[in-house]
Amino acid sequence: MTKSEVAMLGRQSSLTPALGKRKTPPERNAARSRLLIAVLTPLILLSITLAVTIGPVEIAPLTVWEIAFGKVTGAEGDWSNAQANIVWLIRFPRVLLAGVVGAGLAVIGVVMQAVTRNPLADPFLLGISSGAALGAVSVLLIGVFAELGIFALSVGAFLGAMLAFALVFSLAIQHGRLLPTRMILAGVAVSFMFSAVTSFITISDDSSGAARRVLFWMLGGLSGTQWEDLTLPALALILGIVHLMGQSRALNALIIGDETATTLGIDVHRLRRRMLVITSLLTGLVIAVSGAIGFVGLMMPHTVRLLVGTDHRRVLPISLLAGALYLIWVDVIARTLFAPEEIPVGIITSLCGAPFFLWLMRRSKGAL
């Protein structure tokens, strides 16, 4: 079977019923994908600029990039120290981290839906976020992996995410087949179990700020972001998307079915294990800096598939851009709607994502 046939099969995947029955010609999907990338890329740059300007202290868009250029090159300009500190130390890293987190969660959702062949799969619904949060809280309150220093939080969140997904994955397999309904049920059960353990650790801690720190992981937020918070998740996202783009045809075959993928020479079990490690790593690193932000990995992939079809060569990069754009503006709303008080980002994504989830359940009856 040729590569073009594999791509064609990807457009006829088990995820298609969740998106309705209307089919779009491949040529139109390709043209749409090029147009979306051409539009989303400058739109993200514009959004970063506007998001940095928005806040109690108004700063002109041109000043934002003048300060950024000055900080990178050492040049001086006509701006105050207060403006420089607000832009470079407070707003810029936060906005960029929102983009990285949104992009990461969207990519994770794409891969998980392909690996599980379940249109409802995402890190939040399958308990991976709860596992990562448990790992992070264990580091914060118990001091696990304290010898790793600044990497302790990321390692703890990664191991918690990987443990949760491995447990859900093993529970969802019956007679050698991965059952979508069992995957969701197992994810709900594991999520409750890990949340219960997290709550037990919290109430067992004597420090007064324990509950507040745990609440951060449960609801998600980007306040207090520093430049060093960007390094690991951004690096993991870059390496992850490069590898996943190379596996896009294999993912196309995988969502058709294990038998089809096997006939194409794909080691299905090995591919799933590798995708498990990658998604767990990305989830752990993202949640380590943002907390458990739900539904981004569910909404963005399906929104993109509605526009460009199910070929992962298009879905992966466009979902990355769409996720980044979405969470940048969600974070802007979170910090400005009731200023000076902030709303946890996870509350807003859940308010948007829950109705989308219900709609998706109605559209994907045949796939569940």
Side-chain angles (χ1 to χ4, degrees):
M1 187 172 291
T2 65
K3 293 180 178 179
S4 61
E5 288 172 325
V6 174
M8 181 180 67
L9 285 173
R11 291 188 291 270
Q12 300 170 346
S13 71
S14 60
L15 297 179
T16 303
L19 309 177
K21 297 182 179 179
R22 192 183 69 174
K23 296 182 180 179
T24 305
E27 296 78 10
R28 187 178 301 177
N29 284 335
R32 283 182 181 178
S33 65
R34 290 191 293 269
L35 177 61
L36 281 172
I37 291 174
V39 171
L40 287 173
T41 302
L43 193 57
I44 288 176
L45 293 176
L46 177 61
S47 297
I48 291 173
T49 305
L50 295 178
V52 175
T53 65
I54 296 173
V57 178
E58 294 186 4
I59 300 174
L62 182 60
T63 304
V64 168
W65 291 107
E66 288 177 345
I67 292 173
F69 181 78
K71 289 294 183 179
V72 172
T73 62
E76 297 183 358
D78 187 21
W79 57 77
S80 66
N81 288 332
Q83 287 179 318
N85 290 334
I86 290 172
V87 169
W88 189 249
L89 298 180
I90 299 175
R91 295 185 187 173
F92 229 123
R94 176 170 181 161
V95 172
L96 292 179
L97 185 62
V100 170
V101 170
L105 291 174
V107 168
I108 292 166
V110 171
V111 176
M112 290 184 64
Q113 288 159 16
V115 169
T116 64
R117 300 183 63 213
N118 191 328
L120 304 181
D122 94 324
F124 189 75
L125 294 175
L126 295 187
I128 297 182
S129 293
S130 297
L134 173 60
V137 169
S138 299
V139 172
L140 289 172
L141 301 186
I142 301 178
V144 178
F145 305 121
E147 64 277 5
L148 297 178
I150 60 173
F151 300 106
L153 200 60
S154 297
V155 170
F158 163 64
L159 292 178
M162 191 168 182
L163 175 62
F165 194 17
L167 186 57
V168 171
F169 192 81
S170 63
L171 291 173
I173 291 182
Q174 188 175 39
H175 304 302
R177 295 182 58 195
L178 185 67
L179 303 181
T181 303
R182 287 177 64 91
M183 176 71 75
I184 293 297
L185 295 176
V188 171
V190 169
S191 179
F192 274 105
M193 182 179 69
F194 276 76
S195 296
V197 177
T198 301
S199 299
F200 177 77
I201 294 174
T202 304
I203 63 174
S204 301
D205 192 276
D206 296 330
S207 60
S208 58
R212 184 175 182 85
R213 282 180 289 176
V214 170
L215 187 62
F216 171 82
W217 298 108
M218 296 298 101
L219 299 179
L222 300 167
S223 60
T225 299
Q226 300 177 357
W227 280 106
E228 51 264 31
D229 296 329
L230 276 164
T231 306
L232 284 178
L235 181 61
L237 178 62
I238 293 171
L239 295 177
I241 192 64
V242 169
H243 177 75
L244 292 172
M245 285 299 297
Q247 299 295 317
S248 58
R249 289 189 174 91
L251 292 172
N252 283 349
L254 190 61
I255 58 179
I256 305 302
D258 291 0
E259 293 181 0
T260 302
T262 301
T263 60
L264 295 173
I266 297 172
D267 188 335
V268 173
H269 297 294
R270 184 178 179 182
L271 177 62
R272 279 204 169 100
R273 285 195 299 268
R274 186 165 68 249
M275 295 300 104
L276 164 63
V277 173
I278 292 173
T279 53
S280 297
L281 176 61
L282 280 175
T283 302
L285 293 178
V286 164
I287 289 181
V289 295
S290 68
I293 299 174
F295 291 103
V296 179
L298 178 71
M299 295 173 60
M300 293 302 105
H302 286 296
T303 303
V304 171
R305 289 190 189 101
L306 283 169
L307 299 174
V308 301
T310 58
D311 190 339
H312 286 85
R313 292 174 299 175
R314 295 189 287 265
V315 174
L316 280 167
I318 297 176
S319 294
L320 182 144
L321 295 174
L325 183 65
Y326 173 69
L327 204 62
I328 286 172
W329 284 107
V330 168
D331 183 56
V332 170
I333 295 172
R335 60 184 171 86
T336 59
L337 188 61
F338 295 106
E341 298 294 328
E342 289 191 18
I343 304 173
V345 174
I347 291 179
I348 299 177
T349 59
S350 295
L351 287 173
C352 297
F356 185 90
F357 176 73
L358 296 175
W359 170 81
L360 191 61
M361 284 186 65
R362 288 184 57 85
R363 297 292 295 269
S364 60
K365 289 178 181 178
L368 295 177

